Amino acid sequence: MKTPARRSKRIDQESEINVTTRVVLRTRKTNCSKTRAARVRPDYPLTRSTSESEMKLMPLEFFQIDALDLAPRLLGKFLRRDNVVLRITEVEAYRPNDSACHGRFGVTPRTAPVFGPGGHAYVYLCYGLHMMLNIVADKEGVGAAVLIRSCSPVSEMETIQERRGLKTDKPVLLNGPGKVGQALGLSTEWSHHPLYSPGGLELLDGGEYVEKVMVGPRVGIDYALPEHVNALWRFAIADTPWISTPKNTLKPL
């Protein structure tokens, strides 16, 4: 993977916790998303200069870093299962000793995948309805992951719509983690699946860069400690409608 020189950016938390995030972001040159008659086109067009044959699997070492470093690096990457390809537009980091992370329960039958080596999938059922895709980060035994919150469609729109049971090309199609899991046709059986190996569910690099990023507190973790509720560990591509709510808590990085 071609990467630019690393830069360090400091994220100051309202909780007085300072977290340094080394952000190496892939970006793309693009025009703003076009809106017509209240319909939003995918911000990464279905016909691209980068063909699927040019996409490269991310290597194992890409994943085996702190979840807070991995999260922004996932923006702009591609998830592929069979012919369905989605572009990651929004993520959240969950770390060791994080009162919002499933790892806080220790190793259980449900949480065991998150303690596996980075680069594997962790899929769990939320509220008995939604399949939530996480990408395990860091070394084996650490217990950290990145939740995929939102994506934009790249290929097989009809399949995505059929799985979602929703005939639309608006962001509501994929602006939430349960929607992403449904669009990819995932179940908890996908946990432990290696995303760096060919076949099944894959994480791919399209060779382009994400330049503008938004950060904010994570969503739906009011049960966590205040310092973790306020931590700016949610990352999203700026200038795209394909992100979840609330949007007003996201600020430029």
Side-chain angles (χ1 to χ4, degrees), residues 29-133:
K29 295 180 180 179
T30 181
N31 295 323
C32 296
S33 300
K34 296 181 179 179
T35 305
R36 180 179 298 174
R39 298 178 69 82
V40 180
R41 297 177 183 273
D43 68 332
Y44 202 78
L46 303 182
T47 54
R48 312 184 311 280
S49 59
T50 302
S51 68
E52 288 187 39
S53 63
E54 294 174 317
M55 294 181 180
K56 305 296 183 183
L57 276 169
M58 300 308 301
L60 176 61
E61 56 268 23
F62 170 81
F63 304 92
Q64 297 193 339
I65 57 176
D66 191 303
L68 194 58
D69 291 326
L70 178 61
R73 287 171 167 86
L74 289 172
L75 295 176
K77 297 295 187 291
F78 299 90
L79 289 164
R80 179 170 66 190
R81 184 190 170 197
D82 300 325
N83 294 325
V84 172
V85 179
L86 308 180
R87 185 171 185 258
I88 299 173
T89 56
E90 182 186 358
V91 296
E92 290 178 345
Y94 290 85
R95 308 175 75 203
N97 303 314
D98 174 3
S99 59
C101 181
H102 286 185
R104 72 188 185 278
F105 298 117
V107 180
T108 69
R110 184 194 192 205
T111 66
V114 81
F115 287 93
H120 291 74
Y122 168 42
V123 182
Y124 67 89
L125 183 63
C126 182
Y127 300 128
L129 296 172
H130 307 298
M131 292 294 170
M132 314 285 268
L133 173 62

Side-chain angles (χ1 to χ4, degrees), residues 9-41:
K9 291 181 179 288
R10 183 164 298 276
I11 303 174
D12 297 322
Q13 311 296 339
E14 295 177 4
S15 59
E16 297 184 355
I17 291 181
N18 293 328
V19 180
T20 302
T21 305
R22 296 180 297 279
V23 182
V24 181
L25 300 173
R26 313 288 287 180
T27 188
R28 60 187 174 85
K29 295 180 180 179
T30 181
N31 295 323
C32 296
S33 300
K34 296 181 179 179
T35 305
R36 180 179 298 174
R39 298 178 69 82
V40 180
R41 297 177 183 273

Side-chain angles (χ1 to χ4, degrees), residues 188-202:
T188 55
E189 294 180 356
W190 284 93
S191 285
H192 298 291
H193 178 82
L195 300 169
Y196 51 84
S197 296
L201 183 62
E202 305 166 323

